Amino acid sequence: MSSFSLFHIAVAGVLVASQGCSDSSRHRMEGTGEELFPVEVAVRPFLTNAPIYIALEEGFFVDEGLDVRVSGLSQSSSQSLPLLARGRIDVLASAVNVGLFNAIARGAPVRIVAARGSVRESGCGHTAVVVRRGLAPAPSGSPVSTLVGRRVGLRESHSGVSRLFFDSLLSSAGTGSQDVELVPLPIPARLQAMGRGSIDATVLAEPWLTRMVDAGHRVLIPAREIVPGMSNGLLLMGPSLLEENPKVGRRFVGAYLRGVRQYNRGKTARNLEILSEATGLEPSLLKRICWPAIRGSGVPDIDGLEVYQRWAHDRGHLDRLVEPRAFWEPSLVEHTTSSEPRSARRR
């Protein structure tokens, strides 16, 4: 039995009928003329998905002849990978996670096709370590020493980029997670826990970071000082577009990158309108928070993804390291950045 078959057997339990439509109801032949080709996209209402929402609202996908249908995720992006691998969805907006690299190592036909969010290299901090109000700095003056012996709201099992950031921060000061007490708490519960003093620090991204600061807590150190430029969000495709309809895949990425360009114009009135509706965040809060960096080229931080893999492998989360040629498909961004939108070619 192939490793790909074993992969599907292992994850069959997470394939739910509510996500994606059956293969029999999907169009698999590319449309012609003005016919729109249906594309199923699974996302969560995060700012790292802003270009998708912008491309939807501004008609960029329609310009490329696509009928993009967005559905929410009822489970984590790593648990949704089987849906992508089986063609139940066409595009998955995923966090960087060990499930992705383990799935690819086991033969899942999914690939990264574009970057979503990444840690800012300068300017505001979208992700940071926050310490509770009233917690005095350590006598040594080192930011990291403030954390030693403290209770930190972070799951021990967490293996995302924020955990890599936290581990790297501790390591940079010659300490480690054994010198702090990790308290597993869901993100919304951490604000109340910090207020009660039941945890002393946590690692958070926006909009929770601004909410923490509003409550009087303080940023200890932003992620950009430890892992600048590292990708923490990715756009994935499976065989339905990469193999069966590659032209449609290229059109999707082309429209997505138009959305990235509009997003990178910043907090314009139009962007605030679209993203407030998509994320459920008040426009006033959206104006104040630090927006994640999204690379205009669409190319993720490949070196950073290899650093992430080595860290995850050292912690026993990865079966083996996966080479970039196995997880990154560059042809879609390379094609779309060198050609004009399909709608412009028709005019």
Side-chain angles (χ1 to χ4, degrees), residues 2-12 78 81-82 85-86 99 102-104 106-110:
S2 70
S3 59
F4 182 50
S5 296
L6 289 172
F7 166 77
H8 283 306
I9 291 172
V11 296
S78 62
L81 282 167
R86 287 186 59 174
N102 276 330
I104 292 173
R106 296 167 189 169
V110 300

Side-chain angles (χ1 to χ4, degrees), residues 12-296:
V14 303
L15 296 175
V16 292
S18 62
Q19 287 186 283
C21 52
S22 67
D23 288 343
S24 62
S25 66
R26 298 289 305 281
H27 295 292
R28 289 306 179 195
M29 295 298 291
E30 189 173 341
T32 58
E34 295 305 313
E35 182 182 352
L36 298 181
F37 189 94
V39 178
E40 301 286 340
V41 183
V43 301
R44 283 183 170 177
F46 299 153
L47 267 180
T48 46
N49 291 321
I52 295 175
Y53 296 121
I54 290 171
L56 275 169
E57 290 299 317
E58 302 292 48
F60 299 159
F61 289 124
V62 172
D63 285 349
E64 292 293 339
L66 306 179
D67 175 18
V68 170
R69 304 166 182 180
V70 170
S71 61
L73 292 175
S74 61
Q75 52 200 358
S76 70
S77 55
S78 62
Q79 290 175 314
S80 299
L81 282 167
L83 299 171
L84 184 67
R86 287 186 59 174
R88 298 285 292 277
I89 55 177
D90 301 304
V91 181
L92 175 62
S94 173
V96 173
N97 61 76
V98 295
L100 169 64
F101 295 103
N102 276 330
I104 292 173
R106 296 167 189 169
V110 300
R111 296 292 182 271
I112 301 166
V113 297
R116 286 169 54 242
S118 62
V119 177
R120 287 194 172 275
E121 299 185 50
S122 61
C124 64
H126 177 262
T127 303
V129 174
V130 184
V131 295
R132 62 175 172 82
R133 59 178 179 268
L135 184 65
S140 69
S142 166
V144 180
S145 58
T146 302
L147 300 173
V148 174
R150 300 294 184 177
R151 293 159 296 179
V152 180
L154 192 65
R155 299 192 312 273
E156 173 61 40
S157 61
H158 182 64
S159 57
V161 169
S162 61
R163 181 60 193 271
L164 165 62
F165 156 49
F166 186 69
D167 283 2
S168 300
L169 172 63
L170 296 178
S171 178
S172 69
T175 186
S177 58
Q178 72 278 359
D179 296 318
V180 300
E181 180 186 349
L182 297 181
V183 181
L185 285 173
I187 290 175
R190 296 179 197 175
L191 182 58
Q192 186 178 11
M194 289 275 276
R196 293 197 310 262
S198 54
I199 61 172
D200 303 300
T202 188
V203 182
L204 287 172
E206 294 285 19
W208 291 100
L209 186 56
T210 290
R211 289 169 176 159
M212 282 284 186
V213 173
D214 287 348
H217 309 298
R218 64 184 176 91
V219 171
L220 184 70
I221 188 165
R224 69 168 184 273
E225 295 190 17
I226 306 297
V227 288
M230 178 167 284
S231 295
N232 53 20
L234 305 166
L235 202 65
L236 311 180
M237 285 185 183
S240 63
L241 295 187
L242 290 176
E243 299 172 12
E244 298 173 33
N245 292 290
K247 290 182 180 179
V248 173
R250 288 194 293 269
R251 291 177 192 170
F252 183 93
V253 172
Y256 170 79
L257 291 180
R258 287 181 70 190
V260 172
R261 289 192 291 273
Q262 178 164 322
Y263 169 84
N264 282 334
R265 294 173 193 155
K267 300 174 183 179
T268 64
R270 180 59 174 155
N271 283 347
L272 287 167
E273 177 187 9
I274 293 171
L275 300 181
S276 177
E277 177 67 24
T279 63
L281 299 175
E282 290 292 330
S284 58
L285 179 60
L286 272 174
K287 285 181 181 180
R288 294 193 298 120
I289 68 176
C290 180
W291 289 15
I294 301 181
R295 297 180 172 203

Side-chain angles (χ1 to χ4, degrees), residues 286-335:
L286 272 174
K287 285 181 181 180
R288 294 193 298 120
I289 68 176
C290 180
W291 289 15
I294 301 181
R295 297 180 172 203
S297 67
V299 178
D301 177 16
I302 301 299
D303 291 340
L305 291 175
E306 293 191 281
V307 169
Y308 171 82
Q309 282 196 84
R310 289 193 292 272
W311 167 80
H313 185 268
D314 289 346
R315 297 183 77 231
H317 291 306
L318 281 186
D319 301 337
R320 64 178 177 85
L321 303 181
V322 180
E323 295 183 359
R325 64 183 179 181
F327 66 73
W328 165 232
E329 177 49 67
S331 63
L332 283 77
V333 295
E334 290 173 354
H335 175 85

